Amino acid sequence: MSIADNINNLKSQIAGQNVALVAVSKTKTTAEVMEAYQAGQRVFGENMVQELVEKQEQLPNDIEWHLIGHLQSNKVKYIAPFISMIQSVDSLKLLQEINKQALKSNRVIDCLLQVYIADEETKFGLGFDEAIELLRADEFAELKNIRIRGVMGIATNTDKEKQLKDEFYELKTFFEGLKQSFFRKDNSFSIISMGMSSDYEIAIEQGSNMIRVGSTIFGGRVIKHWKNN
Ligand SMILES: *Cc1c(COP(=O)(O)O)cnc(C)c1O
């Protein structure tokens, strides 16, 4: 099946459910991104700053780019002028840098707090207590050029359905708690980004309203530089 077919299948699967689709194009060529674009997809996710910047320069301006991978503070400046959403905020220090660079670009940058839900050591993200601590900090209240739109989480890489369900449920519940405590009057705090190719159906069942899907759209990834594949 073609990239366009895959996009259309996914779209019809989520139709009417208030779920946004982020097409994860990491390692894929600009030609492959264009195939998805021509099928009507406008929101794309990348996890490497350099790759993201190079693609952004070459591809149409109405693409909304989301950063979904770990972001180092010293690289924020490269994406601040154009990024639509940074889904991978995992520290106050990073948020402060995003705010600073957003101000320079005269923008307000939408962000998600990446919350750690997996039963794995290797994933980035804030613990529940750390996310709350961040939102309570006086320094956070001063940041006027970022807007926290919700949370993002990556479940454990497992096919145990019960475990996935529990992890997604935890994130959804945590989101509701944050909404009540910190964002009660802020309707823009509304995004629960969870679910990838292998688990998006379970994630949607558990309340996801933004899925990040790569290999189901573009096929599997091999590790090589995107420009040479
Ligand atoms: C790569 C990636 C995805 C997409 O993964 P697939 O399994 O290819 O759908 C989603 N979210 C994040 C954070 C990723 O790094």
Side-chain angles (χ1 to χ4, degrees):
M1 290 228 285
S2 69
I3 289 171
D5 290 337
N6 296 336
I7 294 265
N8 289 328
N9 286 343
L10 272 165
K11 276 196 189 157
S12 60
Q13 250 188 72
I14 63 178
Q17 295 192 79
N18 187 32
V19 176
L21 172 62
V22 179
V24 176
S25 50
K26 63 191 186 195
T27 78
K28 300 299 173 181
T29 62
T30 50
E32 289 168 303
V33 177
M34 275 313 290
E35 262 186 79
Y37 180 89
Q38 269 145 9
Q41 182 65 24
R42 290 294 180 273
V43 185
F44 291 88
E46 290 281 339
N47 67 340
M48 307 281 282
V49 167
Q50 195 189 341
E51 182 175 341
L52 169 59
V53 169
E54 291 182 33
K55 283 179 179 167
Q56 191 270 337
E57 284 166 356
Q58 294 173 37
L59 287 159
N61 272 329
D62 61 340
I63 290 181
E64 294 172 31
W65 294 102
H66 287 205
L67 189 81
I68 60 169
H70 181 64
L71 177 59
Q72 289 171 294
S73 292
N74 61 357
K75 295 195 174 161
V76 174
K77 56 179 177 285
Y78 302 118
I79 60 170
F82 68 85
I83 196 80
S84 283
M85 189 178 290
I86 298 175
Q87 296 207 7
S88 43
V89 171
D90 58 4
S91 72
L92 179 59
K93 178 176 156 272
L94 175 61
L95 208 48
Q96 287 170 312
E97 179 63 16
I98 296 168
N99 187 75
K100 182 177 149 191
Q101 298 299 335
L103 180 60
K104 276 192 194 167
S105 293
N106 199 21
R107 301 186 65 211
V108 174
I109 296 181
D110 282 348
C111 295
L112 303 180
L113 297 179
Q114 182 175 353
V115 178
Y116 185 92
I117 51 171
D119 183 21
E120 285 168 8
E121 292 291 324
T122 53
K123 299 277 197 285
F124 291 101
L126 295 154
F128 293 135
D129 47 343
E130 292 171 315
I132 290 167
E133 197 181 313
L134 184 157
L135 294 169
R136 281 200 181 129
D138 293 337
E139 295 95 321
F140 172 73
E142 293 163 11
L143 306 178
K144 302 301 179 206
N145 290 73
I146 54 103
R147 184 165 67 154
I148 302 290
R149 299 291 315 276
V151 296
M152 184 270 259
I154 305 172
T156 302
N157 184 11
T158 176
D159 49 19
K160 289 186 196 134
E161 220 172 281
K162 166 87 167 68
Q163 183 174 356
L164 292 168
K165 218 170 145 174
D166 289 349
E167 290 176 2
F168 290 138
Y169 178 79
E170 264 187 53
L171 185 57
K172 157 81 172 167
T173 306
F174 186 61
F175 168 87
E176 298 294 352
L178 292 183
K179 176 117 190 111
Q180 285 304 314
S181 315
F182 298 98
F183 298 96
R184 204 191 292 249
K185 290 181 213 138
D186 181 358
N187 288 332
S188 71
F189 185 82
S190 58
I191 298 175
I192 306 172
S193 171
M194 58 187 191
M196 328 198 329
S197 290
S198 56
D199 56 20
Y200 69 86
E201 282 153 314
I202 302 171
I204 292 170
E205 264 172 40
Q206 296 306 315
S208 168
N209 57 21
M210 180 174 280
I211 56 175
R212 310 175 308 270
V213 180
S215 41
T216 292
I217 295 171
F218 295 105
R221 287 178 296 272
V222 276
I223 299 169
K224 54 186 172 184
H225 194 268
W226 66 278
K227 280 198 272 195
N228 302 327
N229 70 9

